[in-house]
Amino acid sequence: MKVLVTGAAGFIGSNLVHLLARERPEWKITALDLLTYAGNVKNLTALLDENRITFARVDITDEVAIGALFERERFDLVFHLAAESHVDRSIMSSLEFVRTNVLGTQVLLDAALKAGVGRFVHISTDEVYGSLGPTGYFLETTPLDPTSPYAASKAASDLIVLAFCKTHNFNASVTRCTNNYGPFHFPEKLIPLFITNAMEGKKLPLYGDGMNVRSWLYVTDHCDALLRVAEKGKAGEVYNIGGGADAELPNREVTFAILDMLGKSRDLIQPVGDRPAHDRRYAIDHSKISNELGWKPSTPFMKGLEMTVAWYQANRPWWEEIKSGAYLSYYERNYANRG
Ligand code: NAD
Ligand code: DAU
């Protein structure tokens, strides 16, 4: 079985490659990534050192390079995760989001169709559904209502994938997951930013009133769901993936938990101006994947958060290297005008 993982040096992609190497050791895995600011080949070091996977540095929008790779390798299965993934960056500048997330997905689909790829899993997000009020859940049938350029670009890519299933009988499924957390999470997103800032004794910039709710899923649980969708999911179907009821929390509760686990004072919290069009609440109904594919989240949120805090404590050189250089100029731009 020849398998391609795009975005393989990013947070979820690298965790997925590790899971596949563990669970399906007979698979021949190509890990593809452009290595943007978010990609880090060190996330795959252990597997590369043992020659367990092949790494390809390719831009998914490069149709010549992608076409040649697909013609040469004849993949049986593709997990497509490569994307620009950070909402705040898409607010500062969105062109790259449309280029990578929309055009890049189109290039992959064209190459996959031409090369006769047997199965394609497109990894998307619950953000395509927009914002929820205090009650209710996103279903797979909830209308798409994205509010950030990031979410809009993901929604567009989802629709192209689903159109390929209808038009070309292409064997693809779309997954829409809630917020992930865990090892190798780039320290710009809430949980790794707040863990590492707290460890450094820096302020934790909490947007707005801190009451925006996210539903958190430990990254390995997400990767386990992706493997199930690849092997058992149906063509043309969307599968929502998300954490349990204990994982649906306002940001301030998550912040308190991080500070408590690190034994740090709540005085480190710094309320700052809100994100524009900040979605108030995400919560997902994952009964379809549970009923049809037998998947459910297995890591309780507080246990997963403890494991994540421990990982950042044990891997300080990994995030200290990232939080220098180019990262600093992004940090200044994003938080400069928030008050
Ligand atoms: P990430 O930003 O950590 O990783 C994205 C990876 O894609 C990076 O390694 C980057 O170098 C690579 N990439 C970017 N542009 C590329 C290009 N043009 N060609 C090749 N590679 C390119 O993101 P993540 O959090 O791991 O998310 C992975 C996927 O999962 C994304 O599609 C995202 O929309 C989706 N998703 C993420 C979450 C989450 O909570 N992080 C939740 C649901 C869905
Ligand atoms: O829901 C799935 C999505 O989750 C994925 O599609 C995205 O790729 C992923 O980045 C994530 O998006 P969010 O915008 O929810 O994640 P982020 O970590 O940026 O923010 C989580 C919450 O924390 C959100 O309500 C904004 C808030 N926040 C974030 C940062 C970076 C803060 O209060 N302060 C911050 O400094």
Side-chain angles (χ1 to χ4, degrees):
M1 184 90 158
K2 294 184 93 174
V3 180
L4 175 69
V5 178
T6 75
F11 165 46
I12 303 171
S14 59
N15 277 283
L16 177 64
V17 171
H18 282 281
L19 179 130
L20 296 180
R22 215 167 41 239
E23 300 289 327
R24 299 288 181 273
E26 70 282 9
W27 286 6
K28 187 172 179 299
I29 299 169
T30 299
L32 179 151
D33 203 291
L34 179 59
L35 299 181
T36 67
Y37 78 92
N40 187 347
V41 80
K42 288 185 182 163
N43 299 356
L44 301 169
T45 301
L47 295 170
L48 287 167
D49 285 352
E50 293 169 14
N51 288 323
R52 306 261 320 270
I53 59 168
T54 306
F55 182 76
R57 185 172 192 183
V58 182
D59 183 343
I60 57 165
T61 69
D62 181 341
E63 56 185 295
V64 175
I66 290 292
L69 179 74
F70 275 70
E71 286 304 315
R72 192 176 67 241
E73 295 297 333
R74 299 276 154 185
F75 299 113
D76 301 295
L77 166 64
V78 174
F79 291 95
H80 173 36
L81 296 96
E84 288 292 334
S85 73
H86 192 177
V87 172
D88 289 324
R89 283 185 185 252
S90 82
I91 294 166
M92 287 195 283
S93 172
S94 18
L95 184 61
E96 208 52 24
F97 285 74
V98 176
R99 201 180 78 86
T100 296
N101 300 358
V102 185
L103 181 63
T105 300
Q106 179 67 56
V107 166
L108 286 171
L109 287 170
D110 284 341
L113 186 67
K114 191 159 174 246
V117 167
R119 181 96 179 107
F120 190 102
V121 182
H122 175 67
I123 286 72
S124 190
T125 167
D126 63 348
E127 298 206 10
V128 297
Y129 297 124
S131 187
L132 283 169
T135 57
Y137 295 90
F138 296 132
L139 295 165
E140 286 82 357
T141 50
T142 300
L144 303 188
D145 186 20
T147 61
S148 72
Y150 160 67
S153 67
K154 292 297 289 187
S157 66
D158 291 12
L159 293 179
I160 298 169
V161 173
L162 294 170
F164 258 58
C165 298
K166 292 185 181 124
T167 308
H168 301 294
N169 245 341
F170 189 61
N171 185 358
S173 300
V174 172
T175 63
R176 295 187 180 136
C177 190
T178 56
N179 288 60
N180 285 218
Y181 67 104
F184 301 119
H185 203 181
F186 195 81
E188 241 172 46
K189 309 278 180 84
L190 180 84
I191 287 182
L193 175 68
F194 281 16
I195 292 172
T196 57
N197 273 15
M199 286 174 68
E200 294 178 298
K202 291 185 180 154
K203 292 287 186 187
L204 277 46
L206 191 58
Y207 294 166
D209 62 1
M211 290 305 289
N212 297 66
V213 172
R214 295 293 180 266
S215 169
W216 296 95
L217 182 68
Y218 194 66
V219 63
T220 314
D221 287 351
H222 183 193
C223 296
D224 178 46
L226 296 179
L227 180 54
R228 283 191 199 222
V229 171
E231 293 184 329
K232 296 182 181 162
K234 293 200 190 99
E237 293 290 325
V238 175
Y239 296 93
N240 283 350
I241 303 168
D246 70 308
E248 192 189 317
L249 292 164
N251 293 332
R252 66 198 294 269
E253 298 294 331
V254 174
T255 307
F256 292 161
I258 290 170
L259 290 170
D260 291 349
M261 284 175 193
L262 287 167
K264 298 282 184 176
S265 163
R266 291 184 183 182
D267 293 344
L268 283 179
I269 297 172
Q270 180 173 27
V272 296
D274 213 350
R275 172 186 279 177
H278 191 178
D279 289 338
R280 193 62 174 166
R281 175 171 167 261
Y282 300 148
I284 215 147
D285 181 328
H286 58 76
S287 49
K288 177 175 172 179
I289 189 172
S290 295
N291 295 337
E292 294 183 14
L293 308 186
W295 176 89
K296 60 178 174 30
S298 66
T299 312
F301 179 70
M302 287 304 167
K303 182 174 173 237
L305 191 62
E306 271 171 12
M307 295 190 307
T308 305
V309 167
W311 190 87
Y312 282 85
Q313 285 174 318
N315 290 277
R316 210 173 168 122
W318 180 88
W319 57 263
E320 278 182 340
E321 187 181 347
I322 293 169
K323 286 183 93 170
S324 58
Y327 176 95
L328 290 175
S329 68
Y330 160 79
Y331 199 79
E332 271 165 29
R333 277 176 70 207
N334 189 45
Y335 295 97
N337 301 316
R338 290 191 189 271

